[in-house]
């Protein structure tokens, strides 16, 4: 195989607890990741001399700052100077939305390169590269559809997939940069006594959508909603459309809702689109987006 095409799916956080801040500045967290069918697509072709990246989609800045490029560079550093790649990234996941698009692109790039240059980088080393690129990257690299994660997101317990449910992603016309969201959360907690450690869902709870929905939470919501009341209103509007779960994903700015059937989800789009004309509403579903790696025609 001379090239591969790989899907890089989005994720939502069914629960997200931000815990203590380390001296390094990183926060410990506990979360439940869930994949969506919404996905970027990446063509990866081996190149013995360099790494190049072409992006089909919105301008994401310098290629060298893109997580897919950085993943390829880290892989090359571990595998050898002749383990370069030509990357073509087709963006479908909105950036700066808390859906993990950049992290998923990085993990997909690592998986693709590992198939193109087999035996060059052992799996433990690949996992270390993923952890160094970002807290969401290890989850995407794992291949799990659903997982409990803790620490910096690099400690994972894959879970049996839940039955797929129709999902709706609502993307506002503004991003929520991750670093700014963490600063805002830290500021909101400054001077407060230590909070009791939250009780995360048990493995039994994580096998049932209704229990997950009842226990779903996101520590970024109070601080971001207080700064962006329109986002809080949009989440409340989503919850009124018959969704059994409606939350902010990650550090935002995207919201998501899960439904029992496609009819309810599609009715939600029709009712919300006129009320929120600046929002982008993306119908999708939970679970992995089919075959995620295969031969590319490049």
């Amino acid at each position: 195989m001379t090239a591969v095409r790989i899907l890089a799916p989005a994720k939502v956080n069914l629960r997200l607890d931000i815990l203590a801040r380390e001296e390094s500045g990183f926060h410990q967290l506990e979360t439940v990741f869930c994949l969506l069918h919404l996905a970027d697509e990446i063509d990866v072709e081996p190149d013995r001399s360099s790494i190049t990246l072409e992006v089909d989609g919105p301008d994401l800045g310098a290629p060298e700052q893109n997580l897919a490029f950085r993943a390829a560079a880290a892989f090359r550093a571990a595998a050898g100077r002749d383990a370069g790649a030509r990357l073509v990234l087709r963006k479908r996941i909105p950036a700066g939305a808390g859906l993990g698009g950049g992290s998923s692109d990085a993990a997909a790039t690592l998986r693709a390169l590992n198939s193109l240059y087999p035996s060059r980088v052992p799996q433990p080393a690949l996992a270390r590269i993923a952890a160094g690129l970002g807290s969401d990257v290890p989850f995407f690299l794992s291949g799990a559809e659903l997982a409990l994660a803790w620490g910096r997101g690099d400690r994972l317990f894959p879970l049996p997939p839940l039955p797929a449910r129709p999902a709706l992603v609502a993307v506002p016309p503004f991003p929520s940069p991750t670093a700014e969201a963490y600063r805002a959360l830290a500021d909101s907690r400054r001077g407060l006594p230590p909070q009791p450690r939250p009780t995360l869902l048990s493995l039994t709870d994580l096998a049932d959508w209704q229990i997950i929905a009842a226990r779903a939470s996101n520590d970024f919501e109070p601080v971001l909603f207080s700064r962006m009341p329109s986002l809080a209103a949009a989440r409340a509007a989503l919850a009124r459309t018959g969704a059994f779960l409606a939350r902010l994903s990650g550090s935002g700015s995207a919201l998501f809702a899960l439904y029992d059937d496609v009819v309810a989800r599609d009715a939600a789009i029709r009712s919300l689109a006129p009320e929120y004309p600046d929002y982008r509403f993306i119908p999708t579903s939970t679970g992995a987006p089919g075959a995620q790696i295969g031969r590319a025609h490049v």
Side-chain angles (χ1 to χ4, degrees), residues 50-129:
S50 64
I51 299 170
T52 60
L53 171 65
E54 175 187 340
V55 178
D56 177 7
D59 182 7
L60 300 178
E64 295 78 9
Q65 300 303 313
N66 188 286
L67 274 171
F69 186 101
R70 289 171 54 195
F75 183 92
R76 186 187 189 197
R81 295 292 298 172
D82 64 336
R86 288 191 290 274
L87 311 175
V88 179
L89 169 60
R90 298 175 185 86
K91 286 298 296 180
R92 304 291 182 266
I93 303 170
L99 298 169
S103 295
S104 189
D105 295 342
T109 299
L110 291 176
R111 292 177 63 204
L113 289 171
N114 208 38
S115 71
L116 290 169
Y117 298 103
S119 304
R120 292 286 194 97
V121 181
Q123 196 63 34
L126 203 67
R128 287 193 293 272
I129 292 172

Side-chain angles (χ1 to χ4, degrees), residues 3-296:
V4 295
R5 176 167 292 163
I6 186 166
L7 296 178
K11 61 80 183 171
V12 291
N13 299 81
L14 301 178
R15 178 159 171 161
L16 178 56
D17 297 309
I18 307 300
L19 307 178
R21 185 180 183 182
E22 301 173 356
E23 291 185 4
S24 64
F26 285 95
H27 285 78
Q28 295 284 310
L29 59 83
E30 290 179 344
T31 191
V32 180
F33 286 120
C34 179
L35 287 188
L36 297 180
H37 280 202
L38 173 65
D40 292 340
E41 185 179 79
I42 311 174
D43 287 341
V44 185
E45 186 175 5
D47 187 315
R48 300 295 180 182
S49 61
S50 64
I51 299 170
T52 60
L53 171 65
E54 175 187 340
V55 178
D56 177 7
D59 182 7
L60 300 178
E64 295 78 9
Q65 300 303 313
N66 188 286
L67 274 171
F69 186 101
R70 289 171 54 195
F75 183 92
R76 186 187 189 197
R81 295 292 298 172
D82 64 336
R86 288 191 290 274
L87 311 175
V88 179
L89 169 60
R90 298 175 185 86
K91 286 298 296 180
R92 304 291 182 266
I93 303 170
L99 298 169
S103 295
S104 189
D105 295 342
T109 299
L110 291 176
R111 292 177 63 204
L113 289 171
N114 208 38
S115 71
L116 290 169
Y117 298 103
S119 304
R120 292 286 194 97
V121 181
Q123 196 63 34
L126 203 67
R128 287 193 293 272
I129 292 172
L133 290 167
S135 59
D136 293 347
V137 183
F139 164 65
F140 289 114
L141 185 68
S142 74
E145 292 186 21
L146 185 73
L148 177 66
W150 65 97
R152 294 187 184 181
D154 55 339
R155 304 188 69 182
L156 288 167
F157 188 89
L159 299 162
L162 289 164
R165 290 291 182 266
L168 178 59
V169 176
V171 186
F174 48 84
S176 175
T178 301
E180 292 183 15
Y182 270 98
R183 280 196 294 271
L185 180 63
D187 288 345
S188 72
R189 292 174 169 179
R190 188 168 290 117
L192 297 178
Q195 300 299 303
R197 187 182 181 90
T199 302
L200 202 60
L201 301 173
S202 71
L203 296 184
T204 302
D205 294 339
L206 292 167
D208 185 285
W209 273 123
Q210 294 306 317
I211 297 177
I212 287 175
R215 301 277 303 278
S217 64
N218 185 326
D219 279 354
F220 284 109
E221 285 188 352
V223 63
L224 292 186
F225 287 174
S226 69
R227 294 180 175 218
M228 295 178 280
S230 64
L231 194 61
R235 204 262 282 179
L238 266 178
R240 291 194 297 269
T241 62
F244 66 82
L245 194 163
R247 284 289 173 193
L248 182 79
S249 184
S251 59
S253 60
L255 305 163
F256 72 96
L258 303 183
Y259 298 83
D260 286 321
D261 56 69
V262 172
V263 173
R265 182 199 63 194
D266 293 350
I269 297 174
R270 291 192 297 271
S271 68
L272 291 172
E275 186 178 356
Y276 293 92
D278 293 336
Y279 275 60
R280 178 183 172 194
F281 293 96
I282 306 173
T284 183
S285 64
T286 63
Q292 292 188 45
I293 190 166
R295 181 181 295 274

